Amino acid sequence: YRSQRLETVRLGRLLARNFLEAHMKTILLAALVLGFCGLAVAQGEKANPVGTWKCEYKIGDQQRTSELTIKKDGDNLAGTMNWPDQKDEKLKDVKFKDGKLTFSAVRKFQDNTIPIDYTLTIDGDKLKGTGAAEFGGQKQEFDIEGKREKKDK
């Protein structure tokens, strides 16, 4: 009877150890997954488009500048684009997803209205991407880069 009881105890301990080992792997894996998810959320929070951005781009061989302002409007984003010769142009279809900011703005230039579609990637206080415009029946793309203006504290 005693040896049977010892065998049952040994078997119980063996089963408990196997159970714990199998489940520890599951728990560890779950902790790793949650850790990576938390890291991804933290990265997404870093990529915040709200603010004023000083942008530079080239059309042909001419260096140009613009100022992009993005604001939170309830659950949506809104904003304006300023160029040296055109101010407070309202942005259309402002969207931000997975670190990418997209919108369009109309550039008024010498009796022409040129809609420009922007696709920008936000990385901390820097943005980089392209603008695409159709002018004279031809689609043109240009690279654009910008830096977020620091707020005075």
Side-chain angles (χ1 to χ4, degrees):
Y1 174 76
R2 188 168 181 243
S3 67
Q4 212 176 15
R5 208 173 75 189
L6 280 174
E7 195 61 36
T8 305
V9 168
R10 253 190 245 136
L11 183 63
R13 284 183 184 160
L14 184 64
L15 287 174
R17 192 171 67 202
N18 286 344
F19 178 83
L20 280 174
E21 283 178 7
H23 283 74
M24 280 307 264
K25 289 177 184 175
T26 303
I27 291 168
L28 185 60
L29 184 61
L32 282 171
V33 167
L34 289 173
F36 282 123
C37 288
L39 190 62
V41 167
Q43 290 287 344
E45 287 170 4
K46 267 194 227 173
N48 177 5
V50 174
T52 300
W53 301 83
K54 295 289 184 188
C55 302
E56 293 186 353
Y57 57 99
K58 265 188 179 180
I59 301 289
D61 58 353
Q62 291 186 342
Q63 190 69 32
R64 308 278 174 107
T65 61
S66 63
E67 182 183 88
L68 169 66
T69 302
I70 302 290
K71 295 179 180 173
K72 199 98 165 110
D73 183 16
D75 287 339
N76 299 316
L77 293 172
T80 58
M81 184 78 101
N82 291 327
W83 293 272
D85 60 342
Q86 181 182 341
K87 305 291 181 202
D88 297 322
E89 182 63 37
K90 283 196 185 335
L91 306 180
K92 295 180 184 100
D93 300 321
V94 184
K95 291 185 177 45
F96 183 67
K97 187 175 180 191
D98 299 329
K100 285 213 183 300
L101 177 67
T102 58
F103 61 90
S104 60
V106 175
R107 183 77 167 101
K108 297 174 179 100
F109 186 72
Q110 299 177 350
D111 299 334
N112 294 301
T113 55
I114 306 164
I116 304 172
D117 296 322
Y118 292 90
T119 302
L120 307 171
T121 301
I122 308 288
D123 183 12
D125 287 333
K126 293 182 180 177
L127 63 77
K128 194 174 194 173
T130 58
E134 200 169 301
F135 185 71
Q138 294 196 350
K139 192 164 183 129
Q140 285 191 319
E141 281 196 0
F142 56 91
D143 293 329
I144 184 168
E145 292 186 14
K147 290 183 182 167
R148 190 189 321 255
E149 275 191 342
K150 299 286 183 205
K151 290 179 188 164
D152 293 334
K153 292 181 180 170

